[in-house]
Amino acid sequence: MLKTVKSIYNSHIRGDGCEHVIVMLSVISIFLPFYITAVVVAAISIRALVLKNRRKEIFAGIDGKLIVAFALINIAAPIVFKNYLGVACFFGVVLILVYALYLRSVMNKSLFEKAADVMAFMSITSAVVALLQRLSGVGRTPSVFFNPNYYGAIITMVSLICLYRLIIKRGNPVFLLFSLALNALGLLLCNCQSAFFSIALGVFVLLLITKKYKIVIAFVALGLVCLPLLPYILPRLSGAFENISIRATIWNAGLKGFLETPFFGRGMMGYMQIFEKFGGQKNFHCHNMFIDLLLSFGVVGVVPLIWFVLRPVIKAFKEKSPVFISVLAAVLLHSLTDVTLAFVQTGALAAVLVAIPYLDENKKNG
C-alpha cells in the first residue's frame, strides 16, 4: 500500500508545477472529512480571487460575470429573512463556483487523467472506511462523507469515470476494476437507493454513447434478471412507498414555500423556515434539487446559475462527451429525490467534472 501511495505521489503530484499540485491536493481533499475539503476549496478559491492574473483569467469571460450576477442577486434574500445559515451556505456555493472556474482555467487532459487516477484510489480508501464502519456496527455507512446519500453520489460519479476509462482503455484495467469493485461494495454499505438507480442509468447512457450496443443488451438483460433480487440487494426498497410519501410532503411544502417568495426565494436552507407552516417533515432541504433551487433563489435568482451550468452542458453535448453526459444523466436522476450537489464534497467533485468539456482549451497548463 505504501509503495502504491508513493508511486501515485511521484507520478501524479510531485514536480509538475504549482497549479498542478493545487489541483491534485484539492481532489484528494474531496475524499477526506468535509471540513478539510471546505478549507482546501475555500483557500484555492480565495487564492484565485486574490492573485491578479488568475482573477483576470477567471472573470474575463461570461462565466465569471454570471457568478458575480448570481452573488449580487441572491445575497439579499437570506439576510432579509434572517436566514443566517443560508448566508453561510451561499458564500460556500459561490466559492465552489469560483473553484469550478479555476479548474476550467488550468485543467487539461493529462491533468484530468491523473486526477481520475487519484479519485479511483481515494474512493478505494473511502470503501475501506465504510467497511470498518459497518464492522463497528454502523447501519448505513457514510464513510468520510456527511451522510450515506452524499457517499452514494460520490460513488456514482467516480464509478462512471472509472468505467469510461476502462471502456476506452485509458488507465490500468486491474486498478480500475478493483476500484469499481470497492465502489460497488461502498454502494451496498451506504445503501443509497437513489444512487443505485442513478448509476444504472449512467452506465446505460455511457454504453449507448460509446456504441457498446452488445453490452447494452447484456446490461439490460442482466437488469431484468436481477429485478426479483432487488429487495435483497436493497433492503430499504420494502419501505420505498413510505419514503416517497414522506418526501412528497417535503416537496409539497417546498413548492408552497417557493410560491410564497417566487422571484428571489429566501436563501439556502430556506426549507427549515417554512416546513412547519406548510406541513412538511423537518429537514435541511427539499429532497429535490430543482424544488430546492426555486425555494432558495426564486425564478430570478436561479437564472445566472442555470446559465452557468448550461454552458458546459451544451458544449459537452456538441462534443459528445460520454463521461460528462453519463454523469449528468445520473446526477439529474438522483436530484429528483435528493439535493445531490448541495454539499462541499459532492459540489467540489462536480466542479472537477464540469472542467471536462474545456480540457482541450488548456493544452499547455498542468
Side-chain angles (χ1 to χ4, degrees), residues 63-283:
D63 297 298
K65 294 175 177 61
L66 288 171
I67 290 179
V68 173
F70 176 70
L72 292 176
I73 292 171
N74 290 293
I75 187 57
I79 296 174
V80 169
F81 287 101
K82 298 180 180 180
N83 178 8
Y84 302 121
L85 179 59
V87 173
C89 292
F90 176 68
F91 278 115
V93 168
V94 171
L95 288 175
I96 288 176
L97 293 176
V98 172
Y99 173 64
L101 279 189
Y102 165 76
L103 291 174
R104 282 192 201 179
S105 71
V106 300
M107 187 83 78
N108 60 21
K109 284 186 176 180
S110 173
L111 182 53
F112 180 79
E113 289 296 326
K114 292 175 179 179
D117 275 339
V118 171
M119 290 178 211
F121 176 79
M122 293 303 294
S123 71
I124 293 171
T125 67
S126 298
V128 172
V129 171
L131 180 59
L132 293 174
Q133 288 173 341
R134 175 58 60 84
L135 293 174
S136 67
V138 177
R140 295 183 62 208
T141 58
S143 184
V144 297
F145 306 97
F146 189 69
N147 68 40
N149 292 334
Y150 291 142
Y151 183 28
I154 294 287
I155 289 171
T156 299
M157 291 185 271
V158 173
S159 296
L160 289 170
I161 294 169
C162 289
L163 180 60
Y164 174 66
R165 297 181 72 221
L166 195 61
I167 289 172
I168 63 173
K169 299 178 181 179
R170 191 174 295 161
N172 186 313
V174 176
F175 171 63
L176 293 173
L177 283 170
F178 184 65
S179 179
L180 283 168
L182 267 289
N183 275 287
L185 173 64
L187 183 60
L188 292 173
L189 294 172
C190 75
N191 198 11
C192 178
Q193 298 173 95
S194 298
F196 183 88
F197 293 107
S198 298
I199 288 177
L201 176 63
V203 170
F204 179 75
V205 171
L206 180 60
L207 293 174
L208 275 182
I209 298 174
T210 52
K211 300 179 180 180
K212 303 294 181 181
Y213 301 125
K214 291 182 180 178
I215 303 178
V216 169
I217 294 171
F219 179 70
V220 172
L222 179 64
L224 293 173
V225 170
C226 289
L227 274 179
L229 301 175
L230 278 182
Y232 303 98
I233 299 171
L234 296 172
R236 292 176 64 230
L237 272 181
S238 60
F241 289 110
E242 183 182 350
N243 289 336
I244 290 296
S245 64
I246 291 172
R247 293 195 181 190
T249 66
I250 296 174
W251 300 333
N252 183 59
L255 285 170
K256 287 180 178 177
F258 156 64
L259 292 174
E260 192 175 63
T261 54
F263 298 109
F264 297 99
R266 58 176 64 241
M268 298 184 69
M269 301 293 181
Y271 179 81
M272 295 177 68
Q273 292 188 326
I274 58 93
F275 74 90
E276 285 184 310
K277 180 178 180 180
F278 296 114
Q281 187 181 36
K282 185 177 181 179
N283 201 55

